[in-house]
Amino acid sequence: MPPTTVGLFTGLLLGIAWVVGGFDAFVGTAVLGVVGFIVGKVVSGQLDLAQYLGGASRAPR
């Protein structure tokens, strides 16, 4: 799916969350969307979090 289509659907879903649940639901939906995006990048191998989690600083045994 092209990034523009994903962006469109994301914006529409955030708008629906805002209208239905108010600002709190909008912020919660946006935060969960960012978390899901990061998890997707890690799973697909496009993002390496080892340097932030301390995995890269360990010396081999």
Side-chain angles (χ1 to χ4, degrees):
M1 189 178 306
T4 53
T5 305
V6 173
L8 173 67
F9 284 127
T10 302
L12 289 172
L13 289 175
L14 287 174
I16 291 170
W18 193 341
V19 168
V20 171
F23 186 72
D24 293 341
F26 169 75
V27 171
T29 304
V31 168
L32 290 176
V34 169
V35 169
F37 177 77
I38 291 172
V39 168
K41 288 285 190 179
V42 170
V43 169
S44 69
Q46 296 177 354
L47 182 63
D48 183 22
L49 296 178
Q51 63 181 348
Y52 301 113
L53 299 176
S57 63
R58 295 183 185 155
R61 294 183 183 198

